Amino acid sequence: MLAAWRTVAQRRQCPRAPALLAAARHLASQTAAASTQSASVAAEVPSSSSGSEPSARLLSSSQQPEERMDFPGGSVPFTAAMSFLGGTFSPRAPLPCYRTIDSAGLAIADADIPHELDQETAVKMYKTMVTLQTVDVIFYEAQRQGRFSFYMTSSGEEATAIGSAAALTNDDVIFSQYREQGVIMYRGFSVQDMAHQCFGNIHEQGKGRQMPIHYGSKALNFHTISSTLATQLPHAVGAAYALKLQKRNACAVAYFGEGAASEGDFHAALNFAATLKAPVVFICRNNGWAISTPATDQYRGDGIAGRGPGYGMASLRVDGGDARAVYNATAAARKIAVEQQVPVLVEAMSYRSGHHSTSDDSSRYRAAEEMRQWRARDPVARFQRWLVDQGWWSDAQDTSARQEARRDVIKALETAQKAPKPPLSAMFEDVYARMPWHLEKQQAEVFAHVRTHPDACPADIPVK
Amino acid sequence: MQRLGALLRRSQGDAVLAPQLLRTYSTMQMTIRDALNSAMDEEMARDETVFVMGEEVAEYQGAYKITRGLLQKYGPKRVRDTPITEAGFTGIGVGAAFQGLRPIVEFMTFNFSMQAMDQIINSAAKHHYMSSGAITCPIVFRGANGAAAGVAAQHSQCFAAWYSSVPGLKVLAPYDAEDTRGLLKASIRDPDPVVFLENEILYGESFPVDQAVLDKDFVLPIGKAKVMRSGTDVTLIGFGKMVGYNLKAAELLEQEGISCEVVNLRSLKPLDREGIAQSIRKTHRVVSVEEGWPQCGIGSEIVSIAVEECFDDLDAPPERVTGAEVPMPYAANLEAAALPTTDHILAAVKRVMGK
């Protein structure tokens, strides 16, 4: 990863080369210090101009062994200079954003591609994106029509979800937040499964327990979605710890947004994952907005990836709209996590093109121009362009794929809507592994009540 | 007598008979600390997926030395010291349980579990239901609950009422060493998340245990109360430390000709409603005793059971003895005044007896 940054920085096409070089050197000195076992804190002399070498004062102090101290918290060099780092004092250059395809969909020459996409995977990725876009549009409309209570789209983030999902194995356990339906779809959750869940009918394995979009599948190793923000982060660390003790060739993956990263659970999970050496990949979808809160109000540091090194964790920022880059970033992160048994942080930069949910109207707090600009960088269109350039896709295939997706989605909705709801008896099941007697008693009371007051229970809801 | 026998058999399963009646072969005394330690040790030896985590549990041998020796025996992968983040290590324990391990998460005291409340309730308790059984969470949360001595407001709260109202959790509160061993082992083997409420004051106290209790497969049924002492005039209901107070009060009252039945709840969720009702229907009077605050406390539920299910059998209104409705003060005299004493129990019993 570090080598990748250096290469990027050295490329003459890149106008930010000097700043990137400084960042690369800075990180190199940190990594070198960190590799001496204990976490080390590098006191630094500020460099006001980009690309300058560390000052001679610091170099001389580090060459005199008696000028260091091994505190319990880490080995640190001393300096006679007092210099603040961060905030308004010598702000660090932001971590650069790795990409392999530009905004128009043209491949960037000489990009690092340690994990090349084969045709089969790439086409599967794209077709899933097409289906996802179709589902998002039609299900959103279905909610507006009152067919179910709630929906969340993932417009603008299709590449983040699907690009990352494609780089994982089915043994990797996924903990998501709520805007990663592309991940479960890539793994095999069908449009029909999604529709059943949104209607909470008798066919969905959730037995009508959860709000729409709270998908889950044990078979697909996708943990049922929980509304509480960021709680999935420590869960993923715990699951990774279990995988570690079980000596499995697998990792846990946790998805979350930049807003959720403000929760205390984020700090606890990342800090703890590093101390536990848990094989977990944290994937942040930085889409710029947490309902109406822009990222500029969410944090002042260098996004989410900028926090990773502070926890002693390998971190990478990637263009979340570039499916090929996300694929590579995730594959590389997974390799580090599983082979070295350590956590890794990936921040995918993108944009939430849609509203937060069907309960939101983002035009009330966002500029139409901003939204228009981002729609023009649609990740699906970018990947399509690249796919066509490889000779792996055509306009005719696109038209027919979209028509087929539309047919499937509409049919799935109709089928799901007509299916019966779960029976009343399902209400008391699964509170515990085995129903305790006090719930059996309550269930019997409910049944007795319904028998003597048949209009208490709607006619289309079976009792048992 | 027949009803008593039926009560005993029903309330204890086939494990151990009431110490009151059959104490002839008590060969050993065991502290609560050792009961907890031995229970965890045996379960960790039996099942390699069981592991312990919490602050100070490993190198320090436990803040209250409950996990003494476990690090040395099982190594740092199975006895883990955690950074100071209850929300964090609870979430991690929950995630590990989701993935097939059986964590025992120690809270230094349950006061600190408030930091982790969301993980315990929204994640551990509810996920089995929310996922329709796809996800299980076989986790045990254990630690000191309720008042200690001189640790004041933020270290003395009783969480029995809060946790026992949550569907999806099992909540246990042992009193003696037999309870502690049997219920903790049952909790660790249980597929559901369990909140295990201990009492710091009792950690060093010794109780008689017999061979059956010392067996490495000794488990007690979850959801069953135990009649510690049978009586005919009034039922005294409590859990944890208050069971000891009730037993003491019963001895004193016997000298005044009042026969008390002392019920040890053992399980707060599921609550042994039928066992409680049976005792109240037998004695016709009930006094609930707890350390926690009165509003919406365990006593409120006991009184509801008495009124809803035993109304026609009651000879007097049910009574509650609870802690004072104040954050726990520090000064020794104030702390003592804020907690129930045997005198309070005696007074309540005499009121229901009309004396």
Side-chain angles (χ1 to χ4, degrees):
Chain A
M1 175 200 65
L2 191 56
W5 290 0
R6 284 211 191 94
T7 334
V8 165
Q10 280 154 9
R11 243 169 259 133
R12 263 173 268 141
Q13 299 101 293
C14 180
R16 300 204 63 235
L20 291 169
L21 260 170
R25 268 193 220 106
H26 172 79
L27 205 73
S29 71
Q30 273 202 321
T31 334
S35 69
T36 59
Q37 284 297 337
S38 51
S40 54
V41 174
E44 287 181 318
V45 176
S47 54
S48 51
S49 62
S50 58
S52 59
E53 295 291 344
S55 86
R57 222 166 160 189
L58 177 61
L59 273 175
S60 65
S61 69
S62 73
Q63 281 163 359
Q64 294 158 32
E66 67 272 16
E67 300 283 334
R68 288 186 81 86
M69 177 74 71
D70 281 335
F71 290 103
S75 174
V76 299
F78 285 114
T79 173
M82 181 185 78
S83 49
F84 286 85
L85 180 74
T88 54
F89 293 86
S90 59
R92 299 181 182 196
L95 293 181
C97 188
Y98 164 64
R99 65 162 25 174
T100 72
I101 294 172
D102 70 16
S103 300
L106 298 171
I108 292 168
D110 301 327
D112 282 343
I113 312 284
H115 301 271
E116 191 54 88
L117 270 174
D118 62 72
Q119 180 174 357
E120 193 188 334
T121 308
V123 168
K124 182 182 173 190
M125 280 166 62
Y126 181 73
K127 281 169 127 175
T128 312
M129 287 180 178
V130 164
T131 311
L132 171 55
Q133 281 191 320
T134 313
V135 165
D136 273 352
V137 166
I138 296 178
F139 277 30
Y140 186 92
E141 290 307 316
Q143 191 279 343
R144 302 324 272 160
Q145 292 164 12
R147 294 167 82 178
F148 45 79
S149 66
F150 180 79
Y151 192 71
M152 294 177 108
T153 64
S154 60
S155 316
E157 303 185 62
E158 297 88 347
T160 305
I162 291 166
S164 56
L168 302 171
T169 74
N170 285 336
D171 289 332
D172 299 324
V173 183
I174 293 180
F175 292 83
S176 62
Q177 182 160 308
Y178 50 53
R179 213 183 290 283
E180 299 88 3
Q181 52 268 45
V183 176
I184 199 178
M185 287 170 74
Y186 188 86
R187 282 212 167 169
F189 205 66
S190 70
V191 168
Q192 187 64 77
D193 291 329
M194 295 168 81
H196 285 325
Q197 197 283 329
C198 289
F199 279 99
N201 64 31
I202 205 167
H203 298 303
E204 73 121 350
Q205 54 193 356
K207 293 185 198 165
R209 298 273 163 73
Q210 292 242 63
M211 288 172 64
I213 71 99
H214 286 59
Y215 311 116
S217 167
K218 193 168 177 176
L220 300 177
N221 233 345
F222 187 97
H223 214 77
T224 307
I225 288 172
S226 170
S227 304
T228 46
L229 281 188
T231 53
Q232 73 273 18
L233 297 175
H235 294 169
V237 176
Y241 188 69
L243 292 173
K244 184 189 183 75
L245 292 195
Q246 293 158 352
K247 296 186 169 50
R248 300 273 306 281
N249 179 9
C251 65
V253 180
Y255 291 88
F256 57 102
E258 86 287 349
S262 294
E263 287 276 4
D265 276 6
F266 168 87
H267 163 72
L270 266 71
N271 189 35
F272 219 138
T275 61
L276 279 178
K277 288 171 68 79
V280 51
V281 178
F282 294 105
I283 300 181
C284 177
R285 292 179 295 97
N286 188 334
N287 63 15
W289 290 92
I291 311 189
S292 70
T293 307
T296 45
D297 282 348
Q298 200 66 249
Y299 53 74
R300 277 301 131 81
D302 179 18
I304 310 307
R307 300 178 195 171
Y311 292 113
M313 192 179 301
S315 313
L316 178 69
R317 174 168 284 146
V318 65
D319 178 352
D322 174 353
R324 190 164 162 244
V326 172
Y327 176 83
N328 273 271
T330 308
R334 184 192 181 276
K335 193 162 188 285
I336 295 169
V338 175
E339 285 178 6
Q340 298 178 31
Q341 292 284 295
V342 288
V344 183
L345 173 61
V346 174
E347 181 185 23
M349 310 298 293
S350 64
Y351 187 80
R352 193 196 76 208
S353 280
H355 307 304
H356 166 71
S357 72
T358 46
S359 309
D360 173 47
D361 174 12
S362 58
S363 64
R364 287 160 26 124
Y365 53 80
R366 292 202 288 193
E369 178 56 24
E370 176 191 285
M371 291 164 71
R372 191 202 62 74
Q373 276 179 6
W374 278 98
R375 289 219 167 91
R377 298 175 198 136
D378 175 34
V380 183
R382 286 168 71 186
F383 194 57
Q384 183 198 31
R385 174 68 195 267
W386 180 80
L387 213 59
V388 166
D389 285 351
Q390 306 309 301
W392 294 345
W393 196 252
S394 70
D395 283 347
Q397 280 174 293
D398 208 75
T399 310
S400 99
R402 286 188 186 272
Q403 279 173 354
E404 190 184 322
R406 197 180 154 74
R407 268 196 312 270
D408 287 345
V409 172
I410 290 173
K411 181 157 185 299
L413 277 181
E414 282 169 6
T415 308
Q417 185 154 17
K418 285 198 204 101
K421 297 285 187 254
L424 208 50
S425 57
M427 182 167 73
F428 292 97
E429 290 162 10
D430 306 317
V431 181
Y432 298 96
R434 246 192 350 260
M435 195 184 295
W437 70 270
H438 72 280
L439 289 185
E440 279 175 3
K441 197 159 171 255
Q442 288 175 29
Q443 186 181 58
E445 272 180 43
V446 170
F447 289 163
H449 182 80
V450 164
R451 266 197 303 277
T452 50
H453 301 84
D455 26 313
C457 187
D460 63 336
I461 295 182
V463 175
K464 281 198 235 242
Chain B
M1 193 59 199
Q2 230 177 354
R3 256 168 98 191
L4 169 67
L7 243 176
L8 284 172
R9 275 191 294 281
R10 193 200 50 74
S11 72
Q12 291 135 34
D14 54 8
V16 181
L17 297 171
Q20 209 66 18
L21 296 185
L22 280 167
R23 203 180 290 207
T24 35
Y25 298 112
S26 300
T27 51
M28 254 195 75
Q29 293 274 324
M30 186 180 246
T31 62
I32 299 295
R33 178 176 287 109
D34 288 339
L36 292 164
N37 185 278
S38 61
M40 284 192 282
D41 190 353
E42 287 159 20
E43 294 306 302
M44 288 175 79
R46 174 182 179 267
D47 180 352
E48 63 179 12
T49 66
V50 178
F51 75 105
V52 179
M53 61 194 241
E55 292 153 5
E56 311 302 320
V57 298
E59 292 291 347
Y60 195 71
Q61 309 289 291
Y64 299 107
K65 306 292 182 252
I66 307 296
T67 49
R68 185 174 44 208
L70 295 181
L71 171 68
Q72 285 69 21
K73 193 166 174 185
Y74 296 102
K77 284 204 163 119
R78 293 183 67 197
V79 185
R80 281 225 80 104
D81 276 332
T82 67
I84 305 175
T85 164
E86 276 72 12
F89 65 70
T90 303
I92 283 164
V94 167
F98 286 162
Q99 194 56 27
L101 297 184
R102 286 183 171 266
I104 303 170
V105 173
E106 175 175 303
F107 291 117
M108 203 177 282
T109 87
F110 266 94
N111 296 277
F112 309 156
S113 75
M114 285 198 280
Q115 271 241 327
M117 193 71 85
D118 185 271
Q119 287 285 359
I120 296 171
I121 294 176
N122 274 330
S123 292
K126 295 182 186 173
H127 269 210
H128 192 262
Y129 187 75
M130 280 162 42
S131 72
S132 306
I135 297 170
T136 56
C137 192
I139 195 168
V140 175
F141 302 107
R142 51 156 293 272
N145 176 62
V151 290
Q154 295 169 335
H155 297 85
S156 308
Q157 190 171 331
C158 176
F159 291 86
W162 288 15
Y163 285 123
S164 64
S165 73
V166 178
L169 283 183
K170 288 179 175 159
V171 182
L172 301 175
Y175 162 57
D176 55 22
E178 173 194 324
D179 288 354
T180 301
R181 271 185 58 79
L183 293 176
L184 185 55
K185 288 161 84 64
S187 304
I188 294 167
R189 298 184 191 193
D190 198 283
D192 296 312
V194 180
V195 170
F196 195 82
L197 303 172
E198 303 157 7
N199 189 294
E200 194 213 317
I201 307 274
L202 292 180
Y203 280 156
E205 203 163 306
S206 291
F207 295 88
V209 288
D210 59 25
Q211 279 306 115
V213 174
L214 297 175
D215 187 87
K216 62 177 171 53
D217 284 320
F218 174 68
V219 290
L220 287 173
I222 291 176
K224 292 282 179 234
K226 179 184 176 188
V227 176
M228 304 293 285
R229 178 193 176 112
S230 76
T232 53
D233 293 333
V234 59
T235 299
L236 295 178
I237 301 188
F239 61 93
K241 196 169 82 185
M242 292 294 111
V243 175
Y245 283 39
N246 285 344
L247 286 169
K248 188 87 208 325
E251 274 177 28
L252 293 169
L253 288 161
E254 189 177 35
Q255 293 157 23
E256 300 186 43
I258 298 174
S259 161
C260 299
E261 177 145 296
V262 176
V263 173
N264 172 4
L265 286 175
R266 281 182 165 174
S267 180
L268 300 176
K269 194 165 199 83
L271 194 57
D272 189 355
R273 309 179 78 89
E274 197 39 52
I276 293 165
Q278 273 199 16
S279 178
I280 297 174
R281 282 186 214 119
K282 173 191 171 196
T283 63
H284 312 293
R285 292 177 185 84
V286 59
V287 173
S288 158
V289 181
E290 67 191 300
E291 268 191 335
W293 294 319
Q295 183 165 336
C296 300
I298 298 295
S300 309
E301 193 62 28
I302 304 297
V303 170
S304 296
I305 294 171
V307 167
E308 286 170 9
E309 300 180 36
C310 315
F311 189 73
D312 293 330
D313 293 291
L314 287 172
D315 285 347
E319 281 230 15
R320 296 178 291 170
V321 174
T322 74
E325 197 162 19
V326 298
M328 187 65 68
Y330 164 70
N333 61 326
L334 296 180
E335 184 181 44
L339 289 168
T341 63
T342 2
D343 286 340
H344 294 124
I345 304 170
L346 296 180
V349 167
K350 288 182 184 160
R351 276 196 302 272
V352 303
M353 295 297 298
K355 295 203 164 119

